[in-house]
């Protein structure tokens, strides 16, 4: 009998039922090979910790095991917490924060050691940077900032406040929903920084190629000698998964501005912080209410908890000295002075109803959701019946054949009738039929693909979308947003992109989006997912799904586990 069957006979059935994946199965095999004498409860907790991490959590909250389906299946969901913690800390594989063991138990949270280390490195950096001030202030700073906002209507302008704080602080987060002008504010920050120091070295980055391109569009009228790139490219991603720029070789830039920060997982945060020189300024833009990263952590949301656009007395005094106002904060978040929330929509498409729909979803306000759907023609909800779906497929396929790329299908899931895999297959079949080309022809003009893995040699990043073009010699290339052209023979890791997941759509905007939800509720559905999908549309958003399912989705909320919030609270 194999050791795994003797020590953990339940693993094979869990794998067969898809409750765990192959990585988790192999992880426990290796663990048992190295520690054959560990107790059954330790194996089960280790399995839960790995499962939680793979599902986006930085740690496992032992107080919430009763909510874990896996813990219930393993029969430890109702175990006494004190007894459990005693058994865990007595194990040879689980240590306290000062230990170096595969797992760390800190208070009531169980971590893989690497993720405990990531979390504490991040929190240490945040606490260190929160009170660091830049030295560029002069008596005319606000006059110069005012000149960047000539149309200010006299009310408190949080974009202007963000620019001021970007000059005075070494670390700043600017969070806002759709149309609140995050990239516009980034442009003004660049102008202000260059006003005070024309030689300042600035880097712009975003998690995806599409988001980087949007950032470039927002600064296209500035006379600058730099452009936004993906964060992986900025850090010098290598084929082994590591980065050229790290704690040993620092980035040279004085200021790093990163857009779409909600997409950054804990590893990318730490990799980014390690690469910054000590004097560098870090400014992050994002939407704290948007979907979290695919990998572990909801870091932006955790850092921005209880942010209220109010400030400590010290910051209010600094603002007052320069003719700016600020209100006293009661937030327990010690980083509150480093966070600005943009809460006014400047988007001309406000009349589309998209911002109102997003707000209703974010607030779990089902009544307002229905009212917006009723009052605005540009936001629609349709039942997923055969007639509606076929009509959308036909319209969308004809648009693509006619080289119109204003619309995008986005889906909650990859699998299923309304998942990306099936919809891409159906759309491509319709396109080939309209073009009167053989189903055996893989490539044709207008074929839309998405890169699924970073390719440093080709300069392609995961998530970049390209469109196939036929050249005069009848060969095909794929053109990407930043004007790269790649021969089809050189492409290896890609998928069709007529329908993409909502996760993959982050950092992108389209004039019109069609959001496809599954037939039945599943664990992926949440208000954050739907909010992110809805806000990908500039002018029109259409949701394909059952009303009851949508209501259930709006009522569901993603709760990722970490101790970041507790660690950046004021000591009580």
């Amino acid at each position: 009998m194999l050791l795994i069957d003797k020590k953990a006979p339940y693993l094979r059935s869990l794998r067969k039922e898809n409750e765990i994946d192959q990585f988790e199965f192999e992880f426990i095999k290796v663990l048992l090979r190295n520690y054959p004498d560990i107790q059954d409860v330790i194996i089960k907790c280790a399995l839960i910790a790995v499962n939680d991490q793979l599902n986006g959590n930085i740690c496992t909250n032992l107080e919430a095991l009763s909510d874990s389906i896996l813990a219930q299946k393993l029969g430890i969901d109702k175990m006494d917490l004190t007894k459990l913690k005693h058994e865990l800390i007595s194990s040879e594989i689980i240590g306290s924060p000062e230990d170096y063991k595969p797992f760390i138990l800190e208070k009531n949270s169980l971590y893989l050691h690497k993720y405990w280390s990531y979390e504490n490195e991040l929190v240490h950096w945040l606490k260190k940077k929160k009170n660091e001030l830049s030295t560029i202030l002069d008596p005319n700073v606000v006059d110069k900032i005012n000149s960047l906002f000539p149309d200010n209507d006299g009310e408190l302008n949080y974009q202007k406040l963000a620019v001021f704080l970007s000059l005075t602080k070494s670390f700043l987060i600017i969070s806002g929903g759709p149309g609140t002008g995050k990239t516009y504010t980034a442009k003004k920050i660049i102008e202000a920084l260059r006003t005070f120091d024309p030689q300042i070295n600035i880097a712009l980055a975003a998690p995806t190629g599409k988001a980087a391109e949007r950032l470039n569009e927002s600064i296209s009228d500035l006379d600058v000698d730099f452009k936004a790139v993906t964060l992986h490219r900025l850090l010098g991603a290598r084929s082994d998964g590591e980065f050229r720029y790290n704690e040993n070789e620092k980035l040279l830039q004085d200021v790093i501005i990163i857009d779409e920060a909600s997409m950054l997982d804990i590893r990318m945060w730490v990799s980014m912080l390690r690469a910054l020189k000590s004097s560098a300024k870090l400014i992050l833009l994002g939407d704290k209410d948007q979907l979290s990263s695919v990998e572990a952590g909801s870091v932006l949301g955790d850092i921005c908890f209880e942010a209220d656009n109010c400030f400590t007395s010290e910051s209010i005094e600094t603002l007052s000295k320069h003719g700016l106002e600020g209100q006293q904060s009661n937030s327990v978040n010690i980083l509150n002075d480093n966070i600005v929330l943009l809460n006014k929509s400047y988007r001309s498409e406000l009349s589309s109803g998209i911002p109102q729909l997003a707000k209703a979803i974010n607030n779990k306000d089902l009544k307002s959701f229905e009212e917006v759907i009723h009052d605005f023609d540009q936001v629609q909800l349709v039942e997923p019946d055969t007639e509606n779906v076929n009509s959308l497929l036909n319209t969308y396929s004809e648009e693509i054949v006619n080289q119109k790329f204003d619309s995008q299908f986005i889906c909650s899931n990859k699998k299923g009738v309304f998942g990306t895999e099936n919809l891409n297959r159906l759309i491509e079949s319709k396109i080939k039929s309209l073009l009167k080309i053989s189903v055996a022809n893989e490539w044709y003009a207008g074929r839309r693909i998405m890169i699924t893995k970073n390719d440093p040699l080709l300069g392609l990043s995961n998530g970049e979308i390209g469109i196939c073009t036929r050249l005069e010699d009848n060969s095909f290339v794929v053109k990407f947003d930043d004007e790269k052209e790649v021969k089809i023979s050189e492409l290896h890791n890609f998928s069709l992109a007529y329908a993409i997941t909502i996760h993959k759509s982050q950092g992108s905007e389209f004039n019109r989006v069609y959001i496809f939800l599954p037939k039945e509720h599943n664990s992926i559905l949440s208000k954050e997912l739907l909010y992110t999908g809805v806000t990908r549309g500039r002018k029109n958003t259409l949701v394909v799904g059952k009303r009851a399912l949508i209501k259930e989705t709006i009522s569901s909320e993603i709760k990722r586990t970490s101790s970041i919030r507790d660690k950046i609270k004021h000591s009580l």
Side-chain angles (χ1 to χ4, degrees), residues 39 42 84-94 101:
Q39 296 178 326
I42 307 301
L84 177 61
K85 288 171 64 177
H86 175 75
E87 292 198 29
L88 292 176
I89 207 66
S90 301
S91 166
E92 59 184 318
I93 69 166
I94 299 173
K101 291 186 177 182

Side-chain angles (χ1 to χ4, degrees), residues 27 48 88 186 216 218 228 253 276 282 284 295 350 400 409 448 458 463 500 526-527:
F27 183 94
I48 292 168
L88 292 176
N216 282 325
S218 72
Q253 287 85 355
L276 300 180
L282 178 63
L284 300 115
E295 305 298 332
L350 184 64
I400 294 164
F409 275 24
R448 189 188 295 180
L458 294 176
I500 61 177
S526 67
K527 75 178 182 73

Side-chain angles (χ1 to χ4, degrees), residues 159 174 177-186 285 342 344-346:
Q159 291 181 337
I174 302 167
T180 54
K182 295 184 292 295
T183 52
Y184 174 81
T185 305
L285 304 105
L342 303 181
K344 179 180 178 180
S345 182
Y346 296 88

